[in-house]
Amino acid sequence: MSPAPTAGATAPDGGTSPVSGVITPQLRRAARANPHGSFQRVVKDGVPYLTIAMPTVFPTGPEGVLPTGLVLYAVMRMTDEQINVEALLTAARDGALPGLVVALLPGLLAARSVLRPVRELRRAARSMGSGRLDTRIQVRGGDELADLARTFNESAQQLEHSVRELRQAEARARRFASDVSHELRTPLAGMLAVTEVLDEDAGRLDPDTARAVRLISSETGKLAGLVEDLMEISRFDARAAELNTDELDAAEAVRKTLENRHWTDGRVRTELPEGIRVRLDPRRFDVVVANLVGNALRHGGTPVTVRLRRGTGSDGVPVLVTEVADNGPGIRPEALPHIFDRFYKADAARTRSEGSGLGLAITLENVRLHRGTVRAGNRPEGGAVFTVEIPLHTEEDGR
C-alpha cells in the first residue's frame, strides 16, 4: 500500500502519504483501543476530511476477536458536502429571514389590534375601581373584542345607575332620620319635663299607678336618648361632625365623665396616671368613655376597670391608650366583627336593652374623627376589653 491515499483510499498505520497527516494521534489511539473501528472529522488547511480507522482482527469464536496490529485508514474529502451545507445555510438565511419578516409584520399589527382594546379595558376597569363610574370604552368594529367592550359599557352603565340610586336612597334615609329626630326633640323635651314631675309625685300614688308612671318615665328617657343618638349618627353620615379640640389632662377628663354619670361607686375602678396631656374634643371624648363604661356595666360584669397610659401606634406615632375592661362572660367570637355595627345585638335573645344600640357605633365614629382606632376583644382571664388609641397632639410638640 505504498501509493498515497486519496479520497476514499486506505493506508496502513504509519503511512507517509501527505494525506496521512490528517490522521491524528487521537484517532490512532482510539483505533487501537476499539476493535470495531473509529472515525473523526478533521479540518486541515481549510479543507474538511472524514477519517476512518478500522483495525484488522481474526475471529476466535462467536464473539471473540484477536487483533493483528494492522490498522486500515480511510480519508475522504468533505469539500462537496461542506459546499452543500453552506449553500443550504445561505438559502435558509436569504429565504427564511425575509419570509420571517414578512410574516412578523402582519403578526405584530394583528397583536397590536388585539392588545389595544385589552389595554383600554384594563385602564377602564382601573378607573372604575377608583370610583369613576362614568368610564366607558370606545367600541370599534364588530368582532369579539368589540362585543366585550359593549358588554363592559352596558355593565358600567347599569352599575352607575344602581350606585346612583343607592346613594340617593342613602341620602333620603339620612335626611329622614335627621328630620324625624329633629321633629321629635321638641315633644320629647315636654314629655321629659312632665315625667320628671310625675316621678316626684310617684311616691304619693297607689302602687299600680306609680309603676306605670315610672315605666313611662323610663321609656321616655330611652326614647330621648335614641333620638339624640340618631341625630348624632346623622351628623356623621352627612360629614357634618366637627372637632372642637382643646388641650386637657386625660385623667381629669375621665374622672369628670365618671362623676357626671355617678359611676364613682365600687362598680368602676380606675388606673389614671397624672400628667398625660392630650389635645382632643372634650365632649366627644366624654361620649367615648361614657359609652364604653356604660356598655360594660350593662352587658359585662363588675367591677369595670378604666385605664389610661401612653403608647405607640402602628405607625410609630405617640398615642393615648384608653382601656375599658369588665369581668363578664366576654364577647362571643362570631359577634366580635360586628360589635361596632349599628343596632347590632350580640345576644339574639336580648330584644330589649337599656341602650339605643348605637352607642358603640357612635364611639367608633368619634374615635375616627380624632384619627384614632378602637378595637374590641376578650381578656385571657375573662371579660371583654375595649381599647381606644388617639394620637397625642399637644401644644408642646407643635402639632
Side-chain angles (χ1 to χ4, degrees):
M1 292 187 182
S2 57
T6 59
T10 61
D13 187 6
T16 59
S17 171
V19 179
S20 65
V22 179
I23 302 174
T24 63
Q26 293 87 350
L27 181 63
R28 296 177 189 276
R29 288 193 296 269
R32 294 190 183 96
N34 186 0
H36 300 290
S38 301
F39 66 91
Q40 186 180 29
R41 182 179 182 276
V42 179
V43 177
K44 182 178 181 181
D45 299 330
V47 179
Y49 296 91
L50 176 64
T51 57
I52 301 173
M54 181 60 66
T56 59
V57 296
F58 290 112
T60 59
E63 296 182 359
V65 294
L66 177 64
T68 64
L70 181 64
V71 180
L72 300 178
Y73 293 89
V75 179
M76 293 176 287
R77 291 175 180 270
M78 303 294 292
T79 306
D80 295 338
E81 287 77 2
Q82 181 73 22
I83 293 173
N84 292 335
V85 171
E86 292 178 353
L88 288 174
L89 291 175
T90 302
R93 182 189 61 198
D94 297 341
L97 289 181
L100 178 62
V101 172
V102 172
L104 186 61
L105 289 177
L108 291 176
L109 294 176
R112 182 180 180 184
S113 64
V114 172
L115 292 177
R116 183 176 61 249
V118 174
R119 293 192 187 99
E120 292 180 358
L121 180 61
R122 181 185 61 185
R123 287 194 294 267
R126 187 177 299 171
S127 178
M128 289 191 65
S130 63
R132 297 183 57 185
L133 301 182
D134 58 344
T135 302
R136 300 293 184 270
I137 301 176
Q138 184 178 358
V139 180
R140 301 182 183 90
D143 55 5
E144 290 80 0
L145 290 174
D147 292 339
L148 178 60
R150 293 189 191 93
T151 303
F152 178 88
N153 291 339
E154 293 172 359
S155 301
Q157 184 177 1
Q158 293 177 0
L159 178 61
E160 183 182 14
H161 179 70
S162 299
V163 171
R164 185 186 301 112
E165 288 186 342
L166 287 174
R167 288 174 176 172
Q168 291 174 353
E170 183 182 5
R172 287 194 298 267
R174 288 198 303 264
R175 187 165 55 251
F176 174 78
S178 177
D179 293 343
V180 169
S181 301
H182 186 271
E183 293 298 328
L184 287 175
R185 292 186 74 181
T186 301
L188 277 175
M191 293 172 63
L192 287 173
V194 172
T195 55
E196 289 178 1
V197 175
L198 292 176
D199 279 341
E200 294 177 357
D201 296 337
R204 296 192 294 270
L205 302 175
D206 60 90
D208 292 339
T209 304
R211 282 195 297 271
V213 167
R214 292 191 178 94
L215 177 61
I216 292 175
S217 177
S218 174
E219 294 301 321
T220 303
K222 292 180 183 178
L223 182 58
L226 174 60
V227 169
E228 292 297 328
D229 288 345
L230 284 173
M231 293 192 65
E232 186 73 3
I233 282 291
S234 66
R235 282 191 287 267
F236 284 114
D237 290 341
R239 308 290 195 274
E242 297 180 351
L243 282 178
N244 297 309
T245 61
D246 191 11
E247 185 180 353
L248 48 82
D249 184 272
E252 183 62 26
V254 173
R255 277 193 291 266
K256 287 182 179 179
T257 298
L258 300 179
E259 291 172 358
N260 292 337
R261 272 85 176 172
H262 306 289
W263 290 335
T264 55
D265 52 10
R267 295 182 300 164
V268 181
R269 298 176 181 175
T270 59
E271 297 178 12
L272 309 176
E274 301 293 340
I276 301 180
R277 306 290 296 179
V278 60
R279 189 168 192 84
L280 43 73
D281 189 319
R283 184 186 71 83
R284 297 191 181 280
F285 185 68
D286 173 81
V287 171
V288 169
V289 175
N291 285 347
L292 293 180
V293 175
N295 182 77
L297 290 173
R298 283 191 300 270
H299 307 301
T302 57
V304 174
T305 304
V306 182
R307 298 185 182 91
L308 288 180
R309 60 181 174 87
R310 293 178 181 267
T312 303
S314 58
D315 54 357
V317 175
V319 294
L320 169 68
V321 181
T322 306
E323 292 182 352
V324 178
D326 62 55
N327 286 279
I331 306 172
R332 291 183 292 111
E334 61 271 19
L336 276 174
H338 309 285
I339 199 67
F340 294 102
D341 293 351
R342 299 175 185 182
F343 300 108
Y344 178 77
K345 291 182 174 61
D347 185 1
R350 179 170 48 85
T351 57
R352 294 180 59 83
S353 172
E354 294 180 7
S356 65
L358 295 172
L360 293 180
I362 292 175
T363 297
L364 175 64
E365 296 294 345
N366 277 312
V367 173
R368 284 177 175 173
L369 202 60
H370 284 89
R371 302 185 182 276
T373 59
V374 57
R375 59 183 181 273
N378 293 311
R379 298 189 300 168
E381 62 271 22
V385 57
F386 289 82
T387 305
V388 177
E389 294 183 356
I390 296 177
L392 277 170
H393 300 315
T394 63
E395 292 179 351
E396 295 177 358
D397 55 26
R399 290 183 292 179

